[in-house]
């Protein structure tokens, strides 16, 4: 049996050899015919156009790319030896001897005089080769990603016949030039017209190459787009199809040519199957993710997560612009990677571009970090779990949209929801039935006036009062300076950087979370209060909110509240009868502010921007503008 197989294999090899030899013979024959056509016409001083058309007719059964390749092959057979001799005769003794035998001493003697001719030949031949490579490249484009009937490929194919004509014309011109050099006369040596004609032709062929190269670039763009869409749809199908576990999705996040490994929390390389069948939070950000964000998330990941035995892991996927990547970004990435106590990708470029497209178009990542939750089977539980993590911490595990909605059903606008655990003294103050005031802004003069006047009111009413400065969103340096002055002058309590950031970030998270669940200011009291607080922060002046107990509350902008405190004698009697907060509310209602200016500044986020926003002061719809900021403190 084996002997029979060996005989058949040997027969196949001989058959293949005969086929290959036959194909080579056929190619050699047509190349020889072209050589003869070029040599005869050049030696007889034939017309270049007629010769070019004769070669095209001879090659009529061949494709356009084959026409140019065969013509260049014939040119190389005819004049390759001459060209090598000219190139090497000054440095290689064998080449010099061959030149003498072929009676080419005059070329050597006049090599400097003929430099213009050789340079022009060189330039034209290189241009011919460039165009030929370009034509061949068009024929090798993958048909499954680009159609020959659709631009830009159809445009290129329409230009290729003309390009082929000029390449063959150029071969004829070069052959005539070399023939003239071999049998040259003194008048040929001193003439510059031939070199000028070749240079002019080289310029034309180079222009053709530049045009075709531009179309080729567009073709590759189209191919890349089609490949990207195919990979995008493949990832979409995978992530929307029930899986046995999450590993297939995790593998598809990375480029196929990349090694599928991550850096674990100890910064050693591990394969990403370590995340198999685990709850995974895909932390998605750019390289501008804040230190505060990392520290607060670290507290959840390393603290409560461990103590509550919550089985979830975090994987950082940094989204970067590859076109602007440089050493500075590389160092920034490595610096961020080094301080993250969870899993990270080995490099941002390891992420599949189609997945980045999905992240931006489907999960809505723009600038503000998001965390997409995958359950152990790879099902997406929530397109952004950071909102609920900032609001409720690990108690929202497994961070599903359903869990988020159930939490909101049980919530009301209370002191605990506003402040969470940011103020450690809050339980004591509430149990002591103190009035608690949280205020913000960056006008030091207003802060001094407000805190002094409010303390005076509390003293006149003989009520317990605690005041806490919560700063201003995205004004880190100014807030730090004011916090120092407040503590120095003992005006009130004041939070540190992380708490200030977390307070405002939680409010934004509440807004986006409510928006994700379809809530509006008309049908949701919490969203209305949140937007009011954020609108207060958009003002130049300060603001204040007072709580008594958990849910008795009154709030106002800086102008109104300081006006009320400074005119306390007008409502002192009412305050002693009704209580501080009810009396202050009534007093605030009597203050009109017809010329207020309220701004609500929201970062772009996957939660969506509400289309309609009511003014916190007058209730009228606010106008929407676009603002672009690059320098945020």
């Amino acid at each position: 049996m084996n002997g029979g197989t060996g005989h058949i294999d040997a027969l196949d090899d001989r058959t293949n050899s005969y086929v290959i030899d036959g194909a080579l013979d056929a190619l050699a024959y047509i190349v020889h015919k072209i050589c003869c056509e070029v040599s005869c016409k050049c030696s007889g001083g034939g017309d270049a156009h007629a010769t070019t058309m004769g070669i095209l007719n001879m090659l009529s059964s061949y494709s356009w790319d084959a026409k140019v390749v065969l013509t260049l092959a014939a040119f190389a057979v005819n004049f390759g030896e001459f060209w090598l001799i000219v190139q090497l005769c000054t440095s290689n003794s064998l080449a010099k001897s061959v030149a003498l035998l072929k009676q080419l001493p005059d070329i050597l003697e006049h090599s400097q005089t003929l430099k213009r001719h050789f340079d022009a030949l060189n330039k034209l031949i290189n241009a011919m080769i460039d165009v030929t490579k370009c034509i061949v490249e068009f024929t090798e484009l993958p048909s499954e990603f680009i159609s020959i009937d659709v631009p830009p490929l159809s445009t290129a194919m329409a230009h290729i016949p003309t390009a082929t004509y000029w390449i063959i014309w150029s071969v004829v011109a070069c052959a005539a030039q070399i023939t003239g050099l071999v049998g040259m006369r003194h008048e040929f040596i001193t003439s510059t017209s031939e070199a000028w004609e070749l240079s002019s032709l080289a310029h034309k062929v180079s222009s053709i190459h530049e045009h075709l190269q531009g179309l080729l670039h567009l073709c590759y763009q189209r191919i890349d787009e089609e490949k990207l869409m195919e990979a995008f749809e493949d990832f979409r199908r995978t992530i929307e199809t029930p899986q046995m576990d999450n590993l297939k999705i995790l593998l598809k996040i990375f480029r196929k040519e990349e090694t599928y490994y991550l850096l674990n929390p100890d910064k050693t390389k591990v394969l990403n199957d370590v995340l198999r069948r685990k709850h995974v939070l895909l932390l998605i950000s750019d390289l501008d993710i804040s230190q505060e964000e990392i520290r607060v998330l670290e507290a959840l990941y390393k603290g409560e997560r461990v103590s509550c035995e919550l089985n979830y892991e975090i994987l950082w996927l940094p989204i970067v612009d590859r076109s602007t990547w440089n050493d500075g970004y590389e160092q920034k990435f490595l610096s961020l990677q080094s301080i993250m106590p969870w899993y990270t990708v080995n490099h941002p470029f390891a992420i599949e571009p189609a997945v980045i497209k999905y992240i931006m178009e489907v999960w809505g990542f723009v600038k503000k970090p998001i965390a997409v939750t995958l359950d152990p089977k790879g099902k997406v539980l929530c397109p952004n779990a950071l909102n609920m993590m900032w609001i409720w911490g690990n108690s929202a595990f497994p961070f599903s949209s359903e869990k988020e909605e159930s939490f909101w059903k049980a919530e009301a606008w209370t002191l605990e929801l506003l402040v969470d655990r940011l103020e450690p003294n809050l339980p004591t103050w509430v149990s002591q039935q103190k009035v608690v005031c949280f205020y913000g802004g960056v006008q030091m003069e207003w802060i001094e006036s407000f805190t002094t006047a409010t303390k005076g009111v509390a003293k006149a009413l003989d009520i317990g009062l605690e005041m806490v400065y919560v700063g201003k969103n995205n004004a880190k340096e100014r807030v730090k300076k004011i916090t120092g002055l407040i503590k120095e002058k003992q005006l009130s309590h004041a939070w540190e950087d992380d708490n200030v950031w977390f307070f405002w970030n939680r409010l934004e998270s509440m807004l986006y979370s409510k928006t994700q669940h379809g809530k509006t200011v008309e049908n949701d009291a919490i969203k209305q209060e949140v937007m009011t607080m954020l609108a207060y922060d958009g003002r130049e002046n300060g603001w204040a909110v007072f709580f008594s107990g958990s849910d008795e509350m009154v709030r106002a902008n800086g102008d109104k509240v300081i006006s009320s405190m400074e005119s306390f004698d007008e409502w002192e009697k009412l305050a002693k009868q009704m209580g501080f907060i009810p009396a202050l509310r009534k007093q605030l209602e009597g203050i009109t502010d017809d010329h207020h200016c309220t701004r609500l500044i929201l970062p772009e986020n996957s939660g969506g921007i509400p289309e309609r926003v009511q003014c916190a002061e007058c209730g009228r719809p606010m106008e929407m503008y676009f603002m672009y900021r690059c320098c945020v403190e």
Side-chain angles (χ1 to χ4, degrees), residues 247-357:
L247 186 58
K248 187 174 182 180
I249 292 170
L250 292 172
L251 290 177
K252 282 188 177 291
I253 288 175
F254 302 100
R255 295 166 66 94
K256 292 178 182 177
E257 61 268 25
E258 297 287 342
T259 304
Y260 298 141
Y261 68 78
L262 313 170
L263 294 190
N264 68 11
D266 297 326
K267 303 310 172 215
T268 56
K269 294 178 181 178
V270 293
L271 292 174
N272 58 16
D273 60 2
V274 298
L275 299 176
R276 187 175 187 177
R277 294 197 177 110
K278 290 184 178 182
H279 282 275
V280 178
L281 296 182
L282 301 178
L283 176 61
I284 300 164
S285 77
D286 57 18
L287 299 184
D288 291 325
I289 183 171
S290 69
Q291 299 290 322
E292 293 88 352
E293 196 133 21
I294 294 172
R295 285 194 292 265
V296 172
L297 189 57
E298 180 181 5
L300 293 174
Y301 180 74
K302 295 177 70 174
E304 294 181 359
R305 167 180 160 275
V306 175
S307 62
C308 298
E309 298 183 353
L310 301 178
N311 184 27
Y312 73 82
E313 295 293 345
I314 298 175
L315 170 59
W316 182 42
L317 301 179
I319 308 301
V320 301
D321 184 354
R322 300 184 186 199
S323 64
T324 60
W325 189 260
N326 55 36
D327 290 343
Y329 289 126
E330 183 81 28
Q331 292 305 314
K332 194 172 185 180
F333 163 72
L334 293 173
S335 176
L336 287 170
Q337 186 185 56
S338 68
I339 63 174
M340 290 184 174
W342 42 74
Y343 291 92
T344 67
V345 296
N346 181 54
H347 195 277
F349 289 5
I351 303 172
E352 170 64 45
V355 174
I356 295 175
K357 178 180 174 67

Side-chain angles (χ1 to χ4, degrees), residues 44 67-68 141 171 226 230 295 308 332 347 392 426 434 439 497 510 526 573 575 609 618:
K67 286 179 172 64
V68 290
L141 295 176
V171 166
E226 291 298 319
E230 184 180 84
R295 285 194 292 265
C308 298
K332 194 172 185 180
H347 195 277
W392 298 292
L426 190 60
K434 288 186 175 182
Y439 70 97
D497 292 346
M510 291 180 200
I526 294 178
K573 183 177 180 181
I609 300 297
C618 62

Side-chain angles (χ1 to χ4, degrees), residues 155 159 169 271 366 375 378 395 483 552 584:
T155 307
H159 283 83
W169 177 298
L271 292 174
V366 180
D375 73 2
S395 61
T483 297
E552 188 178 29
L584 177 57

Side-chain angles (χ1 to χ4, degrees), residues 127-138:
M128 289 155 47
I129 293 171
D130 287 341
V131 174
T132 301
K133 287 179 178 178
C134 203
I135 291 173
V136 171
E137 206 168 342
F138 276 113

